[in-house]
Amino acid sequence: MDYRVNLAARMLANKRGSLIGAVLAVSIGILVIHVNFVIFQGIYDAIIRDMTEYRFGDIFVSHEEEATIERSHVVYTNWFERVPLVKSATPRLSGSADIEFRSMGKFNEEFDVPVVGVEPVSDILASKIHTTINEGQYVYARNSIVVGETVAEDLGGVRVGDNLKLIMTNQGGEEVSKRFVVTGISKTAGGQGFDTSVIIHIDSLRSMLDRPDESNSIFVKLNEKNPEAAIDIRKQFLAAYANDDLKAQTIEESAEATLKGFRSGIAMINLIGYFGMGSSAFAIVTIQMMLVNSKTREIGVMRAIGAKRKDILMVFILQGMIIGAIGAGAGTGIGLAYTTYAKETNMQFQGSLALEVNYNWPKIAETALLAFFLAMLAAIYPSYRATKLQPVEAMRNV
Amino acid sequence: MSDIVLELQNVSRIFGEGDAQVKALDDVSLSIRRGEFVLIVGSSGSGKSTLLNMIGLLDKPTSGKVILDGKETTTLNDGQVSQYRNEKLGFVFQFANLLPDLTVLENVMLPQQIQGSPEDIRQNAIDLLIKVGLEDQINKRSNKISGGQAQRAAIARGLVNRPTIVLADEPTGNLDSVTAGKIVKLAKTMAKELNQTFIIVTHDRHQFPDVDRVITIKDGKAFSGEETTMEITA
Ligand SMILES: Nc1ncnc2c1ncn2[C@@H]1O[C@H](COP(=O)(O)OP(=O)(O)O)[C@@H](O)[C@H]1O
Ligand SMILES: [Mg+2]
């Protein structure tokens, strides 16, 4: 082993306090970034995940100008389902209704509740909203209704098996009503689901609104997450139906408005993380300056017996690299342990949505490398100061 | 090759400026021959260490020339001077000044490692450590051995690159008289065995009874012999 490496390592090993301090400074900087990432990127990705699974799919088709798509959805869903990467495509229609509920002699009423019409067979394939039914089951018949948890509470405690009356105004301006049997209660953590809506069969909604064959949107789900493919498929779809005035957006585009503010928040928090890393560099400068000052005589001796300035520089920069390597290793290790813990336990905060935890390897590597280089950079000034010590220092008889 | 290994020509060293000026060395000229065992004596503050620093290329004279192995050294740059110190000089300091983070063996290996010597560095160092009687201490941390042992190790480190001159500044100054006597004897033995030039600074003439030459420093001036007034010339 090169004597400079040996000397650098030994000096540090014999100054355990300084070593631990400097390593902690580096690793805490990294840890802050990992924890930030797990929590804030985790929330961000969880929102995207839920929006994808419940509301928008990977591609979301709607009309460019009108609220509804008049042409039968079958044309479009068939087109999508012929694409190998597409898992399923399902139409949705929305409206709103006043809901009446009678329970044990008490009458409850809610106005303007959002109503989502779904086609159960393809919706179960395309969307995960059916998994949010924590009591009963999903819509399966023309008179089935799934009630969002909030709506159920507002109506005074709707239970599976209860009867509800929905009153709407149809296309022609007439008031229509229909009775439904509650088959399930839907509840999601984080509010991206249909907790404040009710879900019925799309055909029931179409007939109530007198809008046969119409839908608002087509919800398209790919076999797996693949943003580039989603963009491609969207383009091909729009080209195939260029005259239909349709709009097709990938989830990233659909979520853009919702998440724009959130993203700048994440950037801000990351900045704080990098700032923390910067301060750890200052900690290293301080600790190494102390080390250099305590080694004045040794440096003088080394110079006296022939070590050149660049050898002294090397010894102390190597120390920075050792600190950086151990700190980056430890910080990344602990950070990964935290990430794994968050992932395995489906970490969530007080019943809110479960974090969507991912290992972002490029970012993990980038953070570790950055910390390593910062530690090395931080060592430059103390090392330079060490080279300025004179060999006569070795001779001082005090 | 010339028999003269070191020559000082009109060397002066002035510290400070103006009224605070101290002339630590005043126009010193001297020369040392190969294999000589030279003692530099003088009272405290007379300029012994300053002189040794000049000879050891640890400091540059304010004026005058230091010629080592026939080469004028005052014009060399820092890197070249470092290399000269490494190859041509061996140092023994008052407080042995081993690097406390390294073992005894690693300390003795260091000058050859700095040089990048192609030789069997470890074996050279072990051989010397055996010669100075430290075979049992080889792998100890160098701050875990006694003062006398440390000074032996320092002598081994000073000799390991087979330098032109070994310089020692008060090598016994920190030792009790029995231990000091042993160190003096070791230095003499090594000098004879290896035909090694030694220049030793001391304020205690009596610890070195048998030397080839004595140079006395007084108020920054060098004199040949003990307490004489005759100035030496090259
Ligand atoms: N770095 C320095 N700066 C100022 N004065 C110095 C310095 N080194 C030595 N001196 C002065 O030079 C004189 C000789 O010092 P030194 O060579 O250390 O003497 P010795 O080793 O004989 O005791 C003393 O007066 C000392 O104060
Ligand atoms: Mg002195």
Side-chain angles (χ1 to χ4, degrees):
Chain A
M1 184 168 39
D2 188 278
Y3 75 95
R4 287 160 291 208
V5 179
N6 186 33
L7 194 59
R10 296 289 190 82
M11 274 188 189
L12 279 179
N14 295 331
K15 285 263 181 201
R16 210 151 293 155
S18 302
L19 176 62
I20 291 171
V23 163
L24 271 182
V26 177
S27 48
I28 287 171
I30 293 178
L31 194 57
V32 167
I33 288 175
H34 279 228
V35 171
N36 277 347
F37 184 79
V38 166
I39 295 175
F40 295 99
Q41 190 68 41
I43 291 174
Y44 181 91
D45 289 345
I47 293 173
I48 293 252
R49 174 196 64 205
D50 289 356
M51 287 176 110
T52 308
E53 289 174 350
Y54 304 152
R55 289 178 177 272
F56 295 105
D58 294 305
I59 301 168
F60 188 76
V61 179
S62 55
H63 197 276
E64 187 79 59
E65 284 138 20
E66 312 289 332
T68 55
I69 304 169
E70 288 195 2
R71 195 170 170 187
S72 168
H73 73 264
V74 180
V75 180
Y76 308 127
T77 50
N78 280 351
W79 186 93
F80 278 116
E81 290 186 343
R82 273 199 305 271
V83 177
L85 290 172
V86 171
K87 186 179 176 208
S88 184
T90 191
R92 282 185 177 174
L93 180 64
S94 56
S96 78
D98 298 341
I99 303 179
E100 290 176 10
F101 173 51
R102 231 173 266 278
S103 143
M104 291 180 293
K106 262 175 60 189
F107 177 79
N108 297 285
E109 196 171 14
E110 282 291 312
F111 301 99
D112 283 328
V113 177
V115 180
V116 182
V118 300
E119 186 188 78
V121 178
S122 57
D123 204 89
I124 284 173
L125 285 174
S127 156
K128 283 203 177 151
I129 197 70
H130 65 280
T131 63
T132 68
I133 313 297
N134 55 358
E135 250 179 76
Q137 53 181 300
Y138 200 44
V139 174
Y140 59 90
R142 297 294 164 104
N143 66 343
S144 298
I145 188 167
V146 164
V147 182
E149 156 107 333
T150 313
V151 178
E153 275 169 21
D154 290 347
L155 282 168
V158 171
R159 311 285 297 269
V160 172
D162 287 343
N163 259 277
L164 300 179
K165 189 168 147 191
L166 269 61
I167 303 145
M168 298 182 201
T169 310
N170 73 10
Q171 174 145 245
E174 298 165 57
E175 190 165 279
V176 292
S177 70
K178 183 175 160 65
R179 294 205 150 271
F180 290 86
V181 178
V182 177
T183 58
I185 308 289
S186 162
K187 181 180 189 221
T188 56
Q192 293 303 321
F194 291 139
D195 295 18
T196 57
S197 309
V198 295
I199 308 168
I200 61 176
H201 199 293
I202 195 168
D203 288 343
S204 303
L205 188 54
R206 280 170 177 161
S207 77
M208 283 184 82
L209 294 174
D210 194 20
R211 291 177 175 280
D213 276 344
E214 289 184 17
S215 39
N216 294 113
S217 57
I218 314 284
F219 178 122
V220 183
K221 183 84 172 83
L222 303 186
N223 287 319
E224 54 195 48
K225 193 145 185 58
N226 189 340
E228 290 88 36
I231 290 172
D232 263 12
I233 294 168
R234 181 201 65 178
K235 272 190 197 146
Q236 288 169 29
F237 174 77
L238 288 177
Y241 297 100
N243 298 323
D244 289 14
D245 272 347
L246 296 176
K247 186 162 93 177
Q249 292 184 304
T250 64
I251 178 62
E252 286 76 17
E253 292 159 345
S254 311
E256 174 62 25
T258 314
L259 291 173
K260 200 188 266 168
F262 204 99
R263 254 208 312 277
S264 51
I266 291 185
M268 188 74 192
I269 285 157
N270 274 338
L271 210 65
I272 293 170
Y274 289 117
F275 187 77
M277 241 190 206
S279 3
S280 74
F282 280 103
I284 293 173
V285 173
T286 311
I287 289 168
Q288 261 214 317
M289 279 310 290
M290 278 161 52
L291 197 71
V292 168
N293 287 337
S294 74
K295 293 289 179 190
T296 308
R297 184 185 288 267
E298 282 88 338
I299 293 164
V301 170
M302 289 199 57
R303 295 282 281 127
I305 64 179
K308 299 194 167 99
R309 288 215 166 103
K310 65 173 202 281
D311 297 322
I312 304 294
L313 191 76
M314 265 273 264
V315 167
F316 287 94
I317 290 199
L318 278 165
Q319 283 184 0
M321 291 167 75
I322 292 170
I323 289 167
I326 299 176
T332 305
I334 301 167
L336 283 178
Y338 178 82
T339 308
T340 306
Y341 170 79
K343 194 175 177 70
E344 294 306 314
T345 59
N346 286 315
M347 187 181 277
Q348 60 187 108
F349 295 102
Q350 285 154 3
S352 181
L353 80 176
L355 300 181
E356 176 70 20
V357 181
N358 292 302
Y359 298 96
N360 185 340
W361 294 113
K363 189 181 157 73
I364 290 165
E366 181 195 293
T367 305
L369 276 179
L370 187 68
F372 174 78
F373 282 113
L374 265 179
M376 200 169 86
L377 217 65
I380 289 177
Y381 177 67
S383 307
Y384 170 77
R385 287 287 296 266
T387 67
K388 290 288 157 203
L389 289 169
Q390 294 300 317
V392 274
E393 293 292 338
M395 284 294 193
R396 290 221 195 289
N397 291 336
V398 278
Chain B
M1 195 181 185
S2 162
D3 213 26
I4 305 283
V5 288
L6 175 82
E7 208 180 334
L8 262 59
Q9 293 178 358
N10 310 103
V11 169
S12 293
R13 178 65 167 102
I14 298 168
F15 292 111
E17 281 173 18
D19 289 346
Q21 222 174 48
V22 178
K23 206 164 199 182
L25 281 183
D26 189 359
D27 197 29
V28 171
S29 297
L30 56 80
S31 57
I32 309 285
R33 278 186 294 279
R34 188 176 307 283
E36 266 191 310
F37 198 99
V38 180
L39 208 60
I40 295 175
V41 297
S43 55
S44 182
S46 56
K48 305 184 295 296
S49 294
T50 306
L51 175 61
L52 206 72
N53 290 347
M54 295 298 133
I55 298 171
L57 311 184
L58 297 173
D59 191 10
K60 284 195 174 177
T62 309
S63 62
K65 287 181 178 173
V66 178
I67 298 155
L68 179 61
D69 257 355
K71 173 92 185 164
E72 216 288 89
T73 61
T74 52
T75 53
L76 299 177
N77 68 27
D78 188 81
Q80 293 168 320
V81 170
S82 298
Q83 195 175 338
Y84 256 60
R85 279 197 300 268
N86 177 257
E87 289 172 1
K88 297 192 181 293
L89 298 165
F91 291 91
V92 181
F93 309 98
Q94 175 172 3
F95 301 94
N97 281 352
L98 301 177
L99 300 188
D101 297 300
L102 300 182
T103 65
V104 171
L105 177 62
E106 287 167 336
N107 264 283
V108 177
M109 285 162 66
L110 204 52
Q112 287 196 291
Q113 288 174 323
I114 289 171
Q115 188 178 43
S117 163
E119 294 176 33
D120 187 343
I121 291 171
R122 173 174 289 268
Q123 197 52 51
N124 281 349
I126 290 173
D127 289 348
L128 263 170
L129 281 166
I130 292 171
K131 271 206 178 89
V132 300
L134 284 181
E135 55 269 38
D136 300 334
Q137 315 296 327
I138 283 178
N139 290 312
K140 278 200 185 158
R141 268 279 292 281
S142 62
N143 59 356
K144 296 281 188 290
I145 57 176
S146 73
Q149 289 170 333
Q151 211 51 293
R152 286 170 185 272
I155 289 172
R157 185 179 66 187
L159 289 167
V160 75
N161 269 357
R162 274 161 270 139
T164 308
I165 306 173
V166 173
L167 301 169
D169 194 1
E170 308 273 11
T172 59
N174 200 34
L175 303 174
D176 64 77
S177 59
V178 178
T179 314
K182 288 181 181 163
I183 294 298
V184 171
K185 218 167 133 199
L186 175 68
K188 290 250 24 164
T189 314
M190 288 293 144
K192 193 168 280 172
E193 212 171 288
L194 305 168
N195 190 30
Q196 175 67 58
T197 314
F198 265 82
I199 300 177
I200 297 180
V201 158
T202 184
H203 65 280
D204 188 1
R205 168 75 182 91
H206 306 293
Q207 266 180 353
F208 299 83
D210 172 29
V211 296
D212 296 333
R213 185 141 71 104
V214 176
I215 295 169
T216 302
I217 303 287
K218 199 172 181 185
D219 296 333
K221 289 186 185 298
F223 306 94
S224 185
E226 296 162 59
E227 295 298 315
T228 66
T229 52
M230 201 187 82
E231 205 164 334
I232 40 164
T233 47

